[in-house]
Amino acid sequence: MGIRENLDVVEACMKNACAACGRAADEVKLIAVSKTKPIPALEEAYAYGCRDFGENKVQELMDKYERMPKDIRWHMIGHLQRNKVKYIVDKVFLIHSVDSLRLAQEIEKEAAKKEITVNILVEVNVAEEESKFGTTAQEAVSLVEQIAKLPHVRVKGLMTIAPYVEDSEQNRRYFAKLKQIYVDIIHKNIDNVFMEELSMGMTGDYEVAITEGATYVRVGTGIFGEREYAAI
């Protein structure tokens, strides 16, 4: 199947998952994970209505930002190094992968220079995988409270990358745990924290994530097919 057919399938599955748990379809937004994908593939997805695209690497995001329409909402979903922050703070709609106070402080510094406010999600390594980035579930609330003191950074919610599993039901517990942390933070009424987004669920498990409260799902392979590690 091509990109258009894939998008139809994904969007139908999202609607069905929302219906199954009593949510409105517009409560969940689709991020087309375009990392490693060539510009023509992004242009095709754009032509079929995609406006939210997710990238893992700063250089690739910058290159595509320059070459794609300006109404696209770019999402930084990969690990972000502090020395790369200055290149993207004014280009991204949302940074999903803030996993430390030091990174948030660097975003604050660069955002202040440009006199902007940067929207971020705090990344939580709920499954405690050694290969993944993210703060721990135990430290997530404390990290949010610390980041909330930075005037040019706005915490909009949480993100997690669940383990790769054959059976998506195995990840339900991780999505439920992130939702519980999210609710706990809401109840604290922390100034400068706007808990609106839960970024969780990818190609293999986004339907389960939706039933546990995801507001963003990040789908790459399900839209574009297998990754292509070639030059842009």
Side-chain angles (χ1 to χ4, degrees):
M1 292 197 298
I3 290 172
R4 182 174 193 170
E5 292 81 6
N6 289 342
L7 275 169
D8 286 343
V9 169
V10 170
E11 287 168 358
C13 288
M14 289 174 64
K15 284 180 183 173
N16 289 340
C18 285
C21 62
R23 299 179 68 190
D26 63 2
E27 288 181 38
V28 187
K29 301 168 285 286
L30 174 63
I31 297 174
V33 177
S34 47
K35 60 184 183 182
T36 79
K37 297 299 172 188
I39 292 289
L42 276 72
E43 290 174 335
E44 193 174 344
Y46 180 90
Y48 299 136
C50 286
R51 291 297 180 271
D52 291 274
F53 288 85
E55 289 291 334
N56 258 38
K57 295 189 176 351
V58 167
Q59 186 61 56
E60 194 173 347
L61 189 153
M62 289 168 60
D63 291 343
K64 289 174 176 174
Y65 177 89
E66 295 302 331
R67 297 166 66 183
M68 292 291 292
K70 290 298 176 272
D71 62 336
I72 286 175
R73 294 178 290 268
W74 292 101
H75 298 259
M76 181 64 193
I77 59 177
H79 180 61
L80 179 57
Q81 295 170 293
R82 296 196 306 280
N83 63 345
K84 301 281 182 68
V85 167
K86 60 190 172 191
Y87 300 115
I88 63 160
V89 284
D90 56 347
K91 296 179 175 65
V92 291
F93 178 74
L94 185 62
I95 299 173
H96 291 232
S97 48
V98 177
D99 58 0
S100 70
L101 180 60
R102 289 178 72 193
L103 175 57
Q105 288 169 335
E106 188 65 27
I107 295 169
E108 166 68 26
K109 184 177 85 173
E110 296 300 332
K113 284 182 191 174
K114 292 184 165 66
E115 299 182 344
I116 58 174
T117 301
V118 178
N119 292 325
I120 66 123
L121 304 181
V122 169
E123 181 175 1
V124 186
N125 185 355
V126 182
E128 298 182 2
E129 290 185 280
E130 288 186 15
S131 61
K132 301 269 176 68
F133 293 98
T135 188
T136 65
Q138 294 75 23
E139 294 170 352
V141 175
S142 172
L143 180 58
V144 168
E145 288 174 331
Q146 291 173 295
I147 294 174
K149 296 170 185 173
L150 304 173
H152 296 86
V153 177
R154 182 168 293 146
V155 179
K156 299 286 281 187
L158 305 175
M159 180 269 243
T160 197
I161 300 173
Y164 176 78
V165 291
E166 293 294 330
D167 177 9
S168 59
E169 281 294 331
Q170 292 178 257
N171 281 337
R172 184 177 294 279
R173 57 183 168 153
Y174 301 124
F175 299 142
K177 179 78 174 287
L178 192 74
K179 176 65 181 287
Q180 185 56 57
I181 298 168
Y182 172 90
V183 170
D184 290 346
I185 293 170
I186 288 174
H187 288 157
K188 283 184 169 288
N189 289 318
I190 306 164
D191 285 344
N192 196 34
V193 171
F194 305 83
M195 298 303 282
E196 298 167 1
E197 308 293 358
L198 269 177
S199 173
M200 57 188 194
M202 299 191 290
T203 294
D205 55 18
Y206 66 87
E207 291 161 281
V208 172
I210 287 170
T211 63
E212 292 298 335
T215 65
Y216 275 119
V217 293
R218 311 179 304 270
V219 180
T221 305
I223 295 172
F224 296 107
E226 294 300 323
R227 295 182 192 175
E228 297 167 23
Y229 291 100
I232 301 166

